[in-house]
Amino acid sequence: MKALVKKRARITRVRAAQHLLAASVAASAEAQVVHLETNAAKLATLRDSLTLPAGPSSGAILQNRGTLAQRLDTARHGLDTAIASAKATAEQKVAERLEARQRQESAAKLDQRAVKALQDWTEARMAAHFRSRTTKKNEGED
């Protein structure tokens, strides 16, 4: 009975560690999404800042800014795929974290039941031992 309680306690500790690991991985995946979205926003801001000031400008300036704007747009659109992939990964990791949390809670409940069963068994055994001594003493007095 004691071995069962120890085993359940060990399982509960392992499940808690697994949940912490899953939570850490999920947080990292979510941080990656935020990082990519921030980079995409910075590229969009940089792209928007390429407007020409009022006044005369040369064709070389127009061509250079147009080329730079095109490259920034290409880079930003390239991040769209990475962002979508990172979001899918983050959602998967959040689901894995929730699953790990459910396993942890289940293990904790089993551990509590095992402890309760051990307590009940110990109390019943002590009561049986006490009754047998009391009964033997009473039989000797008759």
Side-chain angles (χ1 to χ4, degrees):
M1 192 58 105
K2 289 180 184 178
L4 177 64
V5 172
K6 287 181 181 179
K7 181 180 178 181
R8 295 276 167 86
R10 186 176 65 248
I11 291 170
T12 301
R13 287 191 306 271
V14 168
R15 295 286 192 246
Q18 287 173 338
H19 175 257
L20 287 174
L21 179 62
S24 174
V25 169
S28 294
E30 289 173 344
Q32 180 67 18
V33 170
V34 170
H35 178 71
L36 290 172
E37 288 176 337
T38 302
N39 284 346
K42 286 179 183 178
L43 287 172
T45 302
L46 189 57
R47 164 65 169 92
D48 292 341
S49 71
L50 291 176
T51 57
L52 290 173
S57 56
S58 70
I61 291 175
L62 288 175
Q63 182 181 3
N64 288 341
R65 287 195 181 200
T67 302
L68 185 55
Q70 185 178 13
R71 288 180 181 172
L72 290 172
D73 286 340
T74 302
R76 188 167 41 104
H77 292 304
L79 281 178
D80 290 344
T81 305
I83 290 171
S85 175
K87 282 183 180 181
T89 301
E91 288 174 8
Q92 178 187 359
K93 297 304 178 187
V94 167
E96 289 173 6
R97 183 191 62 80
L98 291 174
E99 185 179 318
R101 178 65 180 177
Q102 289 171 345
R103 285 193 310 266
Q104 177 190 9
E105 290 172 354
S106 176
K109 287 177 185 177
L110 287 174
D111 185 35
Q112 291 170 355
R113 281 191 228 147
V115 168
K116 176 75 170 119
L118 177 62
Q119 289 171 345
D120 292 346
W121 178 77
T122 304
E123 289 174 9
R125 196 164 166 198
M126 289 179 71
H129 181 66
F130 179 72
R131 278 193 299 261
S132 67
R133 282 188 172 199
T134 311
T135 306
K136 288 179 184 177
K137 285 182 183 178
N138 290 342
E139 288 176 0
E141 292 176 3
D142 287 334

